[in-house]
Amino acid sequence: MKLLIANGYVIDPSQNINAGKNLLIEAGRVVGVVDRGEPIPEQTEILDATGLVVAPGFIDMHVHLREPGQEYKETIATGAAAAVAGGWTTVCAMPNTQPVNDNAAVTRFIIEQAEHAKLANVFPIGSITKGSNGSELAEMGEMKNAGIVAVSDDGQPVPTAGMMRRAMEYARGFDLPVVDHCQDKSLSAGGVMHEGKWSLILGLKGMAAAAEEVDAVRDCELARLTRARLHLAHVSTRGAVEAVRRAKEQGLAVSCEAAPHHWTLTDESVADYDTNTKMSPPLRSQDHVEAIIKGLQDGTIDTIATDHAPHHADEKELEFDQAPFGITGLETAVGLAFDLIHRGVIDLARLVELCSTNPARIFSLGDRGTLRPDAWADVTILDPQFQWTFDGGNAKSKSRNTPFGGRSFTGAAVATIVGGRIVYLHPDFSRLLDVRQKAAGKG
Ligand SMILES: [Zn+2]
């Protein structure tokens, strides 16, 4: 069966397409982006995307799906459901599960669970060190054969430069990018929020921006030394963005991502001790937020990633000091990215680059992040003007730990297509499906 996404505005930076076009899909793959006037082949279902933007499927390089081991927070199936509801066709799962994804058996388990869920594509990220405890390298080759797309000890930094050097040299042998959680623990130990005016006022122990920046600079230097591919996770400080900017100017294979909360909120949000403002790296001061926004605008920051980190309500109800770090993000990220568009920081083509083209390139996902002929038919359909309010209580994620519950947005992903299948359609857009069925009924 063929599917024609008709009358939409197709934006695909991988082919420099930015025009009113139709998209034809067959057997899970893209046939091509075609002119609106071209005759429609026999036996084609039609999805009417009038007034909507049709983009290659969005790819979130950084999520925590909690399975195996903490299924009470999230499962691969519920995480994948949250992903497609948020417009993400692909998510990359960090290895800090229980057990840690440091071997091929865990990698294969994650892939199998995702195949059962049949929603988003889930690509596992393997750990850098066994148990992510920083002392012994994990079996990257075996995990790569099983399907990992990168390695990371995310949640924890790699503790020493010596270990990171060995990790980069080893990962380079398998052409795996190293994803870096930058945090010098000798500087950040005991910290629960950004170190600054607000940590003083609130009497909470701070984590200095320098804790992130010291590691960012360290690991850019190690990328120079080893010629490995380095991707900095969730950059949140001016100095970290600056380190990446310099590394790129010098031609190093360094990239980075930013999470929506880091351009949306400042450390002032912690003032009512809401544990849904506690994450690592923490919400920073205005100056750092401005540096993130600049980095998103000028290309220094390559991708938007959610760092979706579900926790059970009981865990987040602890005192601020005691609560775990992290917030959910899959269902609000695109809405928060549209804020940047409406403020004139980025345009739609740049949004697609940040959420699709660049993540596919950095993780070598080949036939994703593009609508070229024969690519996987992964598609995110956006309505830039759709007004909606995020109801945290009705989230698809199993967890509710978000500071964005009740927030209103303009702009959303309204339909998500994975491998040619419509896996999510916003309830207000069922008319798209009606058109499809009507067309199918007509034969
Ligand atoms: Zn992290």
Side-chain angles (χ1 to χ4, degrees):
M1 195 64 190
K2 301 181 194 71
L3 173 65
L4 185 76
I5 302 173
N7 306 317
Y9 197 85
V10 176
I11 299 183
D12 180 6
S14 77
Q15 308 181 82
N16 286 315
I17 295 174
N18 201 325
K21 294 273 186 186
N22 290 348
L23 173 66
L24 185 61
I25 290 167
E26 184 174 13
R29 298 270 181 171
V30 173
V31 175
V33 175
V34 297
D35 287 338
R36 284 176 177 175
E38 272 190 32
I40 299 168
E42 299 265 301
Q43 300 236 309
T44 301
E45 292 181 306
I46 296 171
L47 197 152
D48 182 10
T50 301
L52 305 177
V53 171
V54 178
F58 283 7
I59 298 165
D60 185 346
M61 302 169 79
H62 189 150
V63 301
H64 300 273
L65 297 182
R66 305 305 189 201
E67 186 181 1
Q70 294 186 307
E71 290 82 355
Y72 66 97
K73 299 183 187 209
E74 194 80 285
T75 65
I76 289 163
T78 60
V84 298
W88 304 97
T89 55
T90 295
V91 294
C92 302
M94 283 296 178
N96 62 336
T97 45
Q98 294 172 357
V100 167
N101 181 18
D102 63 3
N103 66 78
V106 178
T107 303
R108 278 194 294 267
F109 170 80
I110 293 166
I111 291 170
E112 279 162 22
Q113 293 302 101
E115 281 168 358
H116 287 151
K118 282 194 173 53
L119 292 166
N121 308 301
V122 178
F123 292 120
I125 295 172
S127 69
I128 294 173
T129 61
K130 288 184 180 164
S132 284
N133 62 20
S135 54
E136 197 184 336
L137 290 174
E139 292 296 344
M140 296 181 191
E142 284 177 19
M143 290 191 288
K144 175 148 189 193
N145 288 338
I148 63 165
V149 294
V151 289
S152 181
D153 277 352
D154 184 62
Q156 300 295 329
V158 174
T160 67
M163 175 54 81
M164 189 53 128
R165 176 189 184 169
R166 286 197 294 282
M168 284 186 181
E169 284 169 343
Y170 195 46
R172 184 169 170 262
F174 301 108
D175 195 25
L176 284 166
V178 174
V179 182
D180 196 5
H181 173 115
C182 295
Q183 181 185 358
D184 185 313
K185 288 213 152 179
S186 67
L187 285 170
S188 69
V192 296
M193 69 174 293
H194 175 62
E195 179 181 303
K197 182 181 88 177
W198 281 101
S199 63
L200 275 176
I201 293 170
L202 300 171
L204 293 169
K205 186 146 177 12
M207 291 188 262
E212 179 173 335
E213 292 161 349
V214 164
D215 265 10
V217 171
R218 178 194 84 176
D219 295 340
C220 286
E221 286 308 314
L222 293 174
R224 184 198 315 280
L225 180 66
T226 61
R227 286 171 296 131
R229 292 157 65 195
L230 174 68
H231 178 76
L232 302 195
H234 44 50
V235 293
S236 72
T237 74
R238 181 170 288 279
V241 175
E242 212 29 71
V244 172
R245 192 173 283 129
R246 257 196 321 273
K248 287 184 166 184
E249 280 164 9
Q250 296 166 358
L252 305 180
V254 173
S255 58
C256 72
E257 73 198 24
H261 45 275
H262 285 132
W263 74 70
T264 306
L265 302 174
T266 67
D267 54 348
E268 190 177 347
S269 306
V270 181
D272 41 15
Y273 298 95
D274 177 358
T275 57
N276 290 328
T277 60
K278 180 177 177 181
M279 67 289 285
S280 177
L283 299 176
R284 302 288 187 185
S285 58
Q286 188 62 34
D287 178 54
H288 294 295
V289 170
E290 280 162 17
I292 299 302
I293 290 171
K294 182 73 177 23
L296 286 160
Q297 191 171 41
D298 72 9
T300 305
I301 295 172
D302 299 271
T303 75
I304 288 172
T306 64
D307 194 7
H308 177 80
H311 290 294
H312 194 270
D314 293 348
E315 296 167 307
K316 276 293 201 181
E317 267 161 29
L318 299 172
E319 294 285 298
F320 198 91
D321 277 334
Q322 305 299 319
F325 292 100
I327 60 168
T328 59
L330 283 167
E331 293 166 79
T332 47
V334 169
L336 293 168
F338 268 110
D339 284 352
L340 295 174
I341 290 178
H342 298 306
R343 287 162 59 189
V345 175
I346 59 171
D347 61 13
L348 275 163
R350 175 79 180 131
L351 173 74
V352 176
E353 225 173 69
L354 285 161
C355 293
S356 185
T357 326
N358 289 348
R361 172 177 52 78
I362 293 165
F363 277 178
S364 306
L365 303 182
D367 47 5
R368 302 189 196 276
T370 177
L371 299 174
R372 275 193 297 270
D374 283 336
W376 285 106
D378 293 351
V379 184
T380 297
I381 300 181
L382 305 157
D383 183 344
Q385 298 305 331
F386 182 62
Q387 301 202 339
W388 60 288
T389 299
F390 180 57
D391 176 1
N394 269 326
K396 298 282 191 291
S397 169
K398 220 176 204 186
S399 289
R400 302 286 178 262
N401 51 311
T402 167
F404 301 118
R407 189 181 174 105
S408 292
F409 298 93
T410 301
V414 298
T416 309
I417 294 168
V418 174
R421 289 171 53 237
I422 300 169
V423 290
Y424 176 77
L425 188 61
H426 188 286
D428 289 10
F429 287 77
S430 50
R431 62 182 166 84
L432 304 185
L433 196 61
D434 290 343
V435 169
R436 189 179 71 120
Q437 284 170 338
K438 247 184 279 165
K442 271 188 289 190

